[in-house]
Amino acid sequence: MQLKYRLLEGKTAVVTGGARGIGKAIALKLALQGANVAITDLAYDDNAKATEAELAALGVQGRAYASNAAKYEDTQNVVNEIIHDFGRIDILVNNAGITKDGALKRMTEDQWDAVIAVNLKSVFNFTKAVQPVMWKQSAGSIINMSSVVGVSGNANQANYSASKAGIIGFTKSAAKEFGTRNIRCNAIAPGFIETEMTATLPEEVRKSWNDKIPLHRAGSTDDVANVALFLASELSSYVTGQVINVCGGMNT
Ligand code: NAI
């Protein structure tokens, strides 16, 4: 369907971990609908520069910032910089995430702490930093990247599953706190999506995932970005506090 207008004209979006993978796909999808987009990632590297160039090619204001989402101070600073450069923030996509998988028996404290800091604390950091500007605007959409394993758990991913389950509790709480100011907060729970994060999985693991998925394929980054666009736009104006599974039917 060809829309005659763009859904996010005049809006500004911030996407964490936006240099590649799902974050990049979301950044470009929002830009295609007219949004100006700031992406953050650990470094201003070739991935970040490439995404920045692709955003500019879509005719919107697009800029990449180096910032560690797990760090509170870094986050305050980068959000101030983004507000200075863009003037407003309407959409926040908390997407930055890592895995450090291992059986609980062998999982180290470092593996636990790193995953909780990058996946869960980052959501607190960015929501805290962005919330005052959304509060002033009396509008905003916050989208948090959870995972199906945050809903159902997964062997060898206790740290990752706990971080993603934590994001769901955070999302529902923020939705209840921010609702009076028309700030919505929702989570996306992707299943098995083809990105560099999943590219390292052995072939037999990939096959066993595919066999479990009713749609019999891994998801694409675009499959997730389409749902993010829905949640970012006014198409979802009465949707808050929800977790939307994007998993080919795996988690029903
Ligand atoms: P990816 O590894 O391809 O991309 C993640 C991006 O986040 C990278 O650019 C990385 O540099 C950045 N990043 C990592 N640590 C960061 C930090 N401390 N501060 C700022 N940026 C940081 O991963 P992918 O697959 O695109 O995943 C994106 C999100 O989706 C993650 O939260 C992940 O947990 C989640 N997810 C992915 C699934 C999949 O199958 N690929 C399934 C379910 C959830």
Side-chain angles (χ1 to χ4, degrees):
M1 181 184 59
Q2 191 75 42
L3 291 171
K4 290 205 172 59
Y5 59 93
R6 296 200 291 178
L7 291 168
L8 302 177
E9 209 74 64
K11 307 276 188 200
T12 295
V14 177
V15 183
T16 70
R20 71 177 204 192
I22 292 171
K24 175 175 184 170
I26 292 173
L28 295 174
K29 179 74 65 177
L30 302 185
L32 261 174
Q33 289 297 326
N36 297 317
V37 182
I39 62 160
T40 74
D41 214 293
L42 278 175
Y44 186 61
D45 59 8
D46 288 348
N47 284 337
K49 287 176 194 165
T51 306
E52 197 176 46
E54 288 177 56
L55 287 168
L58 293 173
V60 299
Q61 188 184 348
R63 194 162 162 198
Y65 299 80
S67 154
N68 184 345
K71 303 271 188 215
Y72 188 83
E73 280 294 318
D74 264 32
T75 304
Q76 293 284 329
N77 292 339
V78 80
V79 166
N80 285 339
E81 232 182 299
I82 292 168
I83 293 170
H84 175 267
D85 294 346
F86 287 78
R88 57 187 295 121
I89 297 175
D90 305 279
I91 299 151
L92 167 65
V93 185
N94 282 310
N95 165 79
I98 56 168
T99 52
K100 289 198 183 289
D101 298 348
L104 261 176
K105 271 184 173 178
R106 283 181 291 279
M107 187 174 287
T108 63
E109 187 182 4
D110 283 350
Q111 280 174 297
W112 173 267
D113 287 346
V115 168
I116 298 295
V118 176
N119 295 8
L120 182 57
K121 191 178 176 205
S122 64
V123 176
F124 167 73
N125 291 343
F126 266 89
T127 305
K128 261 297 260 192
V130 157
Q131 163 264 324
V133 71
M134 289 186 172
W135 201 264
K136 259 189 233 144
Q137 293 165 188
S138 285
S141 175
I142 300 169
I143 301 161
N144 297 326
M145 206 52 68
S146 180
S147 165
V148 288
V149 306
V151 179
S152 57
N154 200 24
N156 302 317
Q157 288 198 308
N159 51 357
Y160 185 79
S161 304
S163 72
K164 296 300 185 182
I167 285 176
I168 293 173
F170 182 96
T171 300
K172 292 183 180 207
S173 304
K176 288 183 174 164
E177 285 191 34
F178 296 163
T180 53
R181 288 306 262 214
N182 191 32
I183 301 167
R184 299 181 294 107
C185 187
N186 292 288
I188 298 176
F192 178 35
I193 309 297
E194 294 281 7
T195 67
E196 286 175 59
M197 184 186 262
T198 47
T200 52
L201 291 172
E203 198 43 48
E204 67 271 18
V205 176
R206 304 168 68 79
K207 191 179 174 314
S208 82
W209 276 90
N210 277 346
D211 290 345
K212 280 186 233 156
I213 299 169
L215 290 181
H216 270 285
R217 65 170 177 88
S220 67
T221 55
D222 214 44
D223 289 323
V224 181
N226 282 327
V227 176
L229 171 61
F230 166 70
L231 291 174
S233 77
E234 286 302 303
L235 291 176
S236 60
S237 56
Y238 202 52
V239 180
T240 194
Q242 304 303 308
V243 183
I244 302 187
N245 291 347
V246 183
C247 61
M250 182 169 56
N251 228 33
T252 50

